[in-house]
Structures are given as structure tokens and as C-alpha cells.
Amino acid sequence: MSSDGAGCVWSHSCGLDELVAPYALPCGEAIDARADWAARWAVTWRVDGAEVVCPVRDLALFPWERARPVRSFSWRSGQRHRPGLAFMEATGRGHGFESLAERRALTVLDFCGQVREVLSQPFSLRFFDSGRRREHVPDFLVATAGPTLLIDVRPAHLVKESDVAVFAATGRVAASAGWRYLVVTGWRDGVAGSVEALACARRPGADRLGLEEQLLAAAIGPRHFGELVEATRWPVPARSHLLRLLWRRRLAFDLVGPLRDGTWIYPVAS
């Protein structure tokens, strides 16, 4: 298949950078310009039920895989945000989120692959801005096959002026530890909805009818989603198996636009 279509985001080869909406990270150099900032700024982790504080200068050495969320996730009637636990195939367990936007970020991370570990609400950062002490808890710390990712999720319409300094400070801290920092303010048009549609079928399941092999055999060239499932002996259950093949990147489609019967499905070269 061709992968150079203008504006296309191919599901079998896309990465996180191709899915997230662009956001220009503010420069953090103007915040606390003193040379010893990394010694005075501190991070608080929770390990074995106790708080562990370390200066930012030592952040890269901290074994954070042992840590747990620095604050708990609570549910109560009348609250405005929507917390919960999101299952990730990459880790095989649920991870806490505090909003639907954060849940979507976990789903997209799971789809992109290369995730090895995720820690929600990983630590509390204490930093100084114009002489004022401020604190911030990032949303996710993610170990990947590449650089470690520190992520904040904030829909674009909710980003306030006070958030700019927080993002700048967090970005500086991540860079000092050799991590990559990402502020997720949204997603490219269409892609997040398509990824969530695929996620419905991501859990492993038995294929006693051999539908996935039938689908792969029928996908010898570009075919519509509906046409492909009709080419199997049992079209109704074949739909969920086709979604699973797309999630696992064994078949491909353009993530820009809704996933429906008329969507073109492409084979993927082995």
C-alpha cells in the first residue's frame, strides 16, 4: 500500500507524534533562573506507602518503577470530572485516570505500542516561579522502548495562563532527567475516535472459527470494511476480529475519518 497520501495517518505505522495535536511547549528558562534550581526544586514519590523526596538533580537516578500514584483516585456523587481505571493491553492491567481526556490518552498510548510501564499521577513537583513556591502533579510517566515520556493532559480550551509556567517548569524538569515531556491538548481530527473504536476489540480472545485467517486471506488488496467481513463465512463475529487485526496492525486504514463499512482496509507487508 502507499503510505505517502497527503493528510493520511496510516494505522499500521503511525506513532504518537502523528496523532497528538501540535502544542508549542513554553520555554522554562525564565522560571527560577538561579544556577542551583535543580537542587532546590524537589520531587515527591510514593514508595511502599511512604513519601520519598528527592531533588530534581537526582531525578534520573530514581527507580520510579517501584513507585505508586502519589495521590489516590476518588469517586463521589456530584463531582465534575470522570475518574476511573483504564485497561491497557501493553501492561495487562488498569491505570488510573482523572478525566475522560486522560482515559483517551491512555488508549492512544496503548495503540501506539512500545509502552512498557505506566505510572499515573507519578510524583508531586515543587518548584519556584517568581519567588513563589508552586506544586504540580503530572498525569502520566511512561516507560517506552525509546525515551521515557512525562505527560500532562489538558484540553486546549481548558489551558489557562497559569498553566504556562507549570508546563514550562515540568518540561525543564523532564529534560534534566533525559525524559521527553508532552502536553496533550487534543488529537488530530478523527484519529482519536477511530482508535477508541479499535480499542473495543483489543483484549485477547479465542478465534475458534478461524475468522482472522479468513480476513487476512481476503485482504489481498484494498477492500471496504463491510466487503471484507462479508467475504468470511460468519460476517457478524468477523467484525470484532477485523477490529482486532487493525488494532494489532496486521491490517491498515487511514485513521483520518470515521471507521465504517465504506472505509478502505489495506494489507500490510510482512
Side-chain angles (χ1 to χ4, degrees):
M1 61 174 282
S2 170
S3 60
D4 57 358
C8 295
V9 178
W10 296 111
S11 63
H12 74 297
S13 60
C14 65
L16 186 62
D17 287 336
E18 294 170 84
L19 303 184
V20 69
Y23 177 78
L25 187 65
C27 176
E29 296 303 319
I31 300 175
D32 196 355
R34 290 175 51 176
D36 64 342
W37 70 271
R40 294 184 301 107
W41 292 16
V43 164
T44 300
W45 304 86
R46 182 168 293 278
V47 180
D48 297 331
E51 291 187 349
V52 178
V53 181
C54 74
V56 167
R57 67 184 178 191
D58 299 331
L59 190 57
L61 303 176
F62 191 85
W64 66 265
E65 292 83 357
R66 297 175 48 208
R68 294 293 181 266
V70 74
R71 64 188 183 198
S72 60
F73 298 89
S74 61
W75 294 263
R76 64 183 184 278
S77 61
Q79 66 187 34
R80 293 184 178 182
H81 62 292
R82 294 283 299 277
L85 291 175
F87 171 80
M88 294 186 70
E89 187 179 42
T91 63
R93 67 181 193 276
H95 297 273
F97 61 85
E98 291 189 318
S99 68
L100 297 182
E102 290 182 18
R103 184 190 69 180
R104 175 167 286 184
L106 289 172
T107 301
V108 175
L109 277 169
D110 205 17
F111 173 69
C112 288
Q114 296 192 321
V115 171
R116 294 177 174 174
E117 187 54 82
V118 176
L119 178 59
S120 303
Q121 311 292 316
F123 56 77
S124 176
L125 167 65
R126 185 181 73 242
F127 67 100
F128 294 91
D129 175 21
S130 301
R132 292 187 303 126
R133 171 174 161 168
R134 300 187 63 179
E135 294 189 8
H136 174 58
V137 178
D139 292 317
F140 304 111
L141 186 58
V142 185
T144 75
T148 298
L149 289 175
L150 183 62
I151 298 176
D152 271 311
V153 181
R154 192 73 49 86
H157 68 282
L158 295 180
V159 175
K160 304 184 293 292
E161 184 176 349
S162 59
D163 294 326
V164 174
V166 169
F167 295 157
T170 309
R172 189 203 287 191
V173 167
S176 74
W179 302 340
R180 183 183 173 200
Y181 180 53
L182 186 65
V183 178
V184 177
T185 59
W187 306 96
R188 284 192 57 175
D189 291 343
V191 300
S194 295
V195 170
E196 288 197 334
L198 301 182
C200 296
R202 63 181 155 172
R203 288 179 181 266
D207 182 21
R208 296 185 177 87
L209 300 176
L211 291 170
E212 294 183 10
E213 289 304 318
Q214 294 179 44
L215 288 164
L216 291 169
I220 56 176
R223 302 188 72 173
H224 288 132
F225 186 102
E227 179 188 6
L228 197 50
V229 297
E230 290 294 335
T232 67
R233 295 183 63 185
W234 295 277
V236 174
R239 289 179 173 271
S240 63
H241 286 279
L242 180 49
L243 291 176
R244 186 175 302 159
L245 289 171
L246 290 168
W247 174 269
R248 294 179 179 175
R249 303 189 173 202
R250 299 187 66 188
L251 294 172
F253 73 109
D254 181 7
L255 282 167
V256 177
L259 180 60
R260 52 193 177 192
D261 278 4
T263 299
W264 286 103
I265 306 298
Y266 297 81
V268 173
S270 303

